[in-house]
Amino acid sequence: MTKRVIVTGGSGLAGKWVVEDLVKHGYEVLNLDRVPMPQRTARTLIADITDAGQVFNAIASTTAPVEFADDLEPKPIDAIVHFAAIPRIMLTTDNEVYRINVMSTYNILDAASKLGVRKVIVASSETTYGVVFAHRHRDPAYFPLDEDYPVDPMDSYATSKVVNEVTAKAFQARTGSDIYCFRIGNVLDPDDYAKFSTWLKDPALRKRIAWSYIDGRDLANACRLAIETDGLGFEIMNVAADDVSSDQPTQVLLDRYYPGVPVKKALGEFETLLSNEKLKRLLGWRQQHYWRDEVKRFNP
Ligand SMILES: NC(=O)c1ccc[n+]([C@@H]2O[C@H](COP(=O)([O-])OP(=O)(O)OC[C@H]3O[C@@H](n4cnc5c(N)ncnc54)[C@H](O)[C@@H]3O)[C@@H](O)[C@H]2O)c1
């Protein structure tokens, strides 16, 4: 049976991997984005998802790949992966970051709930932990950062993501459907591994993100597992690699850059500070792309 998935933001850095992985696994995918997808892995419907009318119309539309397909009758959507957003501060004004991220997510969740879409994956962010875009340096309350952490950001982007998680929880309570929010770490494309030659020399460059990373292909895999794992209700899960993006052991990084921050568990030598234990436990996710292997393409 064809599984129909709408991906928002599929023309972007992370979303393109989600589209590619789903298409590769036999899903019929429609990309909703303001701009076309250069790779054209799936059809893009140009839409501004801050406009509720466009969102309701898009979700009620056909996902057929071409206009001359045999059947253009709209069919039910099995899942939405909602990635479209302004992905950080300082790209546009703070109020626009907040408005676009909050209203687009409200519209997607509202339309999904009213049009009967029973599964939505929402891109949240590690910035919700309040360290990444803090106005001035700020230590977290503890490491590793896990989903029980009392999130308390101060910037417009991370605040929009916290609001989106609250909105997602509210819609899930109405419908009893599955809504999973992914607190995603720093997303890397294959070419980004070339930057490790700079990053390894100065660990301070990645201090604010606590040396997190996630390969876009591993993130896409987490999205597909989420689509294929039913019945969890509302859940928040960190999506991060098993290891820190540094050749320094985790404890060495902590002693140097975060002295005095309580550490809640015994850590492995290079263990991530953005816990992925829940993602593994609930979805059975396993990392496939480790930076130590990926950088070999650049330093043979
Ligand atoms: N890149 C990261 O390291 C990272 C980390 C954590 C979370 N995230 C989240 O993951 C998601 C994807 O991030 P990304 O890095 O791929 O960003 P990106 O900017 O590369 O892609 C986002 C896409 O959303 C589209 N978009 C923006 N506003 C839109 C609107 N109003 N209507 C329709 N489409 C719109 C853009 O055109 C773009 O193609 C975002 O929600 C982001 O906040 C990203």
Side-chain angles (χ1 to χ4, degrees), residues 16 46 48 59 63 66 74 91 115 143 165 172 179-180 220 240 251 259 269 300:
K16 68 176 183 289
I46 300 295
D48 179 351
I59 294 178
T63 53
V66 289
L91 289 172
L115 298 174
F143 279 123
E165 291 180 357
Q172 195 281 332
I179 306 183
Y180 310 157
Q251 193 58 54
E269 188 177 14

Short mmCIF file of all heavy atoms in Angstrom, two decimals, residues 16 46 48 59 63 66 74 91 115 143 165 172 179-180 220 240 251 259 269 300:
data_model
loop_
_atom_site.label_atom_id
_atom_site.label_comp_id
_atom_site.label_asym_id
_atom_site.label_seq_id
_atom_site.Cartn_x
_atom_site.Cartn_y
_atom_site.Cartn_z
N LYS A 16 16.04 17.74 2.54
CA LYS A 16 16.33 17.01 1.28
C LYS A 16 16.69 15.55 1.56
O LYS A 16 16.39 14.66 0.78
CB LYS A 16 17.43 17.71 0.48
CG LYS A 16 18.80 17.66 1.12
CD LYS A 16 19.85 18.30 0.21
CE LYS A 16 21.25 18.22 0.78
NZ LYS A 16 21.47 19.10 1.94
N ILE A 46 4.88 24.71 -4.29
CA ILE A 46 5.32 25.98 -3.70
C ILE A 46 4.19 26.53 -2.83
O ILE A 46 3.06 26.70 -3.30
CB ILE A 46 5.68 27.00 -4.81
CG1 ILE A 46 6.83 26.45 -5.69
CG2 ILE A 46 6.04 28.36 -4.21
CD1 ILE A 46 8.16 26.27 -5.00
N ASP A 48 3.48 28.97 1.01
CA ASP A 48 3.94 29.65 2.22
C ASP A 48 3.14 29.09 3.37
O ASP A 48 1.94 29.37 3.50
CB ASP A 48 3.73 31.16 2.09
CG ASP A 48 4.19 31.90 3.36
OD1 ASP A 48 4.49 31.23 4.37
OD2 ASP A 48 4.22 33.14 3.32
N ILE A 59 -2.59 20.09 2.11
CA ILE A 59 -2.75 18.76 2.74
C ILE A 59 -3.97 18.03 2.15
O ILE A 59 -4.03 16.81 2.14
CB ILE A 59 -2.84 18.91 4.27
CG1 ILE A 59 -1.49 19.43 4.79
CG2 ILE A 59 -3.19 17.59 4.95
CD1 ILE A 59 -1.44 19.68 6.28
N THR A 63 -1.03 14.06 -3.99
CA THR A 63 0.43 13.92 -3.86
C THR A 63 1.02 13.29 -5.12
O THR A 63 2.20 12.92 -5.13
CB THR A 63 0.80 13.06 -2.64
OG1 THR A 63 0.10 11.81 -2.74
CG2 THR A 63 0.46 13.75 -1.34
N VAL A 66 3.22 13.87 -10.93
CA VAL A 66 3.18 14.73 -12.13
C VAL A 66 1.73 15.04 -12.49
O VAL A 66 0.81 14.31 -12.13
CB VAL A 66 3.86 14.05 -13.36
CG1 VAL A 66 5.37 14.00 -13.18
CG2 VAL A 66 3.29 12.68 -13.62
N PRO A 74 -7.27 13.47 -4.80
CA PRO A 74 -6.54 13.56 -3.53
C PRO A 74 -6.78 12.34 -2.66
O PRO A 74 -7.90 11.83 -2.60
CB PRO A 74 -7.14 14.81 -2.87
CG PRO A 74 -7.73 15.60 -4.01
CD PRO A 74 -8.20 14.58 -5.01
N LEU A 91 19.06 35.54 10.74
CA LEU A 91 18.85 35.41 9.29
C LEU A 91 17.83 36.43 8.83
O LEU A 91 17.88 36.92 7.71
CB LEU A 91 18.34 34.00 8.95
CG LEU A 91 19.34 32.87 9.09
CD1 LEU A 91 18.64 31.52 8.90
CD2 LEU A 91 20.47 33.02 8.08
N LEU A 115 -7.79 17.48 9.35
CA LEU A 115 -7.92 16.68 8.12
C LEU A 115 -7.55 15.21 8.35
O LEU A 115 -7.46 14.44 7.42
CB LEU A 115 -7.05 17.29 7.01
CG LEU A 115 -7.45 18.71 6.59
CD1 LEU A 115 -6.45 19.29 5.59
CD2 LEU A 115 -8.86 18.74 6.01
N PHE A 143 24.68 18.23 32.45
CA PHE A 143 24.95 17.40 31.25
C PHE A 143 24.76 15.95 31.65
O PHE A 143 24.92 15.62 32.82
CB PHE A 143 26.39 17.61 30.77
CG PHE A 143 26.60 18.83 29.94
CD1 PHE A 143 27.55 19.79 30.33
CD2 PHE A 143 25.92 19.03 28.75
CE1 PHE A 143 27.77 20.92 29.57
CE2 PHE A 143 26.15 20.16 27.98
CZ PHE A 143 27.08 21.10 28.39
N GLU A 165 6.74 22.91 20.56
CA GLU A 165 6.59 21.65 21.32
C GLU A 165 5.30 21.68 22.16
O GLU A 165 4.57 20.70 22.24
CB GLU A 165 7.81 21.42 22.22
CG GLU A 165 9.09 21.10 21.44
CD GLU A 165 10.29 20.87 22.37
OE1 GLU A 165 10.13 21.01 23.60
OE2 GLU A 165 11.38 20.56 21.84
N GLN A 172 -1.88 16.94 20.16
CA GLN A 172 -1.90 15.49 20.39
C GLN A 172 -2.95 15.14 21.44
O GLN A 172 -3.63 14.12 21.33
CB GLN A 172 -0.49 15.04 20.83
CG GLN A 172 -0.29 13.53 20.75
CD GLN A 172 -0.91 12.79 21.94
OE1 GLN A 172 -1.02 13.34 23.03
NE2 GLN A 172 -1.31 11.53 21.71
N ILE A 179 2.41 12.54 17.65
CA ILE A 179 3.20 13.72 17.28
C ILE A 179 4.53 13.63 18.01
O ILE A 179 4.56 13.61 19.24
CB ILE A 179 2.48 15.04 17.62
CG1 ILE A 179 1.07 15.06 17.01
CG2 ILE A 179 3.30 16.22 17.13
CD1 ILE A 179 0.30 16.37 17.23
N TYR A 180 5.60 13.50 17.23
CA TYR A 180 6.94 13.36 17.81
C TYR A 180 7.76 14.59 17.45
O TYR A 180 7.86 14.97 16.27
CB TYR A 180 7.66 12.11 17.26
CG TYR A 180 6.87 10.82 17.32
CD1 TYR A 180 7.19 9.77 16.45
CD2 TYR A 180 5.83 10.61 18.24
CE1 TYR A 180 6.49 8.57 16.48
CE2 TYR A 180 5.13 9.41 18.27
CZ TYR A 180 5.46 8.39 17.38
OH TYR A 180 4.76 7.21 17.41
N ALA A 220 17.46 11.60 8.61
CA ALA A 220 16.39 11.10 7.74
C ALA A 220 15.94 9.72 8.18
O ALA A 220 14.75 9.40 8.20
CB ALA A 220 16.89 11.07 6.30
N ALA A 240 20.82 13.09 17.86
CA ALA A 240 22.24 13.46 17.85
C ALA A 240 23.09 12.21 17.69
O ALA A 240 22.64 11.10 18.00
CB ALA A 240 22.61 14.16 19.16
N GLN A 251 35.19 14.24 28.72
CA GLN A 251 35.53 14.78 30.04
C GLN A 251 36.55 15.93 29.93
O GLN A 251 36.47 16.90 30.69
CB GLN A 251 36.07 13.66 30.94
CG GLN A 251 36.14 14.06 32.41
CD GLN A 251 34.79 14.50 32.98
OE1 GLN A 251 33.81 13.77 32.88
NE2 GLN A 251 34.72 15.70 33.56
N PRO A 259 33.53 23.87 33.26
CA PRO A 259 33.88 23.41 34.60
C PRO A 259 32.74 23.75 35.56
O PRO A 259 32.11 24.80 35.44
CB PRO A 259 35.14 24.21 34.94
CG PRO A 259 35.06 25.43 34.06
CD PRO A 259 34.35 25.00 32.80
N GLU A 269 34.16 7.57 26.71
CA GLU A 269 35.29 8.46 26.39
C GLU A 269 34.90 9.64 25.49
O GLU A 269 35.27 10.78 25.76
CB GLU A 269 36.42 7.65 25.74
CG GLU A 269 37.67 8.50 25.57
CD GLU A 269 38.85 7.72 25.00
OE1 GLU A 269 38.66 6.60 24.48
OE2 GLU A 269 39.97 8.26 25.07
N PRO A 300 42.77 11.47 3.19
CA PRO A 300 42.98 10.05 2.92
C PRO A 300 44.27 9.52 3.56
O PRO A 300 45.17 10.27 3.83
CB PRO A 300 43.02 9.96 1.41
CG PRO A 300 43.02 11.34 0.87
CD PRO A 300 42.84 12.31 1.99
#
